[in-house]
Amino acid sequence: MARIRSSGNLTTEQRLASLLRDAGLAGWRRHFRVAGRPDFAWRSVKVAVFVDGCFWHGHGHDCGRNLSPRTNVEAWAEKIRRTKERDRKATQRLRQAGWTVVRVWECQLAKDPKRCLDRIRGALPDASDPRSRSLSLLTL
Ligand SMILES: [Zn+2]
């Protein structure tokens, strides 16, 4: 069962990985072992990026991808509710530990990849800024 979930996420993650490479954003690691196992993490500057599948993570009603299942509605709703709760706690724990957390919805990445990329870039310190270099040295 776990395979179904991770393979469902994989293409979206791979898509973001190639977007990051194309944008020249390097240095991230996949599934770094901190709260929530972020899909992408820049450890030295403490930036974590999650790509959330719209169905599993319960995206809102205006999201076209969050199709309601026709059977076992309550079981699905409970599962999704727990996933959302886990997401919320992971974000909270990371922020308390000084991380910047960016969550990207699967549908946003498909519709407007540039905007998603801008959000991630905005969370990362500017490499040309000397202050960010000293920041990353301090936290290494
Ligand atoms: Zn969505």
Side-chain angles (χ1 to χ4, degrees):
M1 287 302 273
R3 300 287 334 149
I4 297 169
R5 192 175 160 219
S6 52
S7 66
N9 264 340
L10 208 60
T11 45
T12 316
E13 278 180 41
Q14 279 168 345
R15 197 188 148 99
L16 184 55
S18 63
L19 278 170
L20 292 172
R21 281 192 210 100
D22 290 349
L25 296 174
W28 40 265
R29 289 170 58 173
R30 294 280 288 272
H31 307 132
F32 189 58
R33 288 183 175 277
V34 282
R37 306 268 317 251
D39 297 312
F40 298 89
W42 282 264
R43 183 174 58 162
S44 60
V45 291
K46 289 193 161 181
V47 173
V49 176
F50 292 89
V51 189
D52 292 335
C54 294
F55 176 73
W56 286 103
H57 296 262
H59 201 189
H61 293 298
D62 53 343
C63 167
R65 292 183 180 224
N66 185 10
L67 300 171
S68 300
R70 284 158 198 260
T71 55
N72 278 326
V73 176
E74 274 171 39
W76 285 114
E78 174 61 16
K79 214 172 162 68
I80 291 166
R81 196 191 59 74
R82 264 189 259 135
T83 305
K84 288 181 81 162
E85 178 66 13
R86 219 175 23 239
D87 290 345
R88 201 181 56 77
K89 281 192 180 142
T91 301
Q92 202 173 44
R93 278 177 62 193
L94 285 168
R95 286 192 174 140
Q96 279 165 357
W99 287 73
T100 302
V101 180
V102 179
R103 284 193 174 268
V104 174
W105 287 107
E106 175 188 19
C107 66
Q108 290 171 342
L109 190 64
K111 271 185 257 172
D112 198 348
K114 196 189 163 295
R115 190 165 157 256
C116 296
L117 211 52
D118 285 347
R119 282 179 58 209
I120 295 167
R121 212 197 305 264
L124 291 165
D126 185 352
S128 63
D129 184 343
R131 277 171 309 174
S132 77
R133 252 193 302 266
S134 58
L135 172 75
S136 55
L137 282 175
L138 275 174
T139 52
L140 271 176

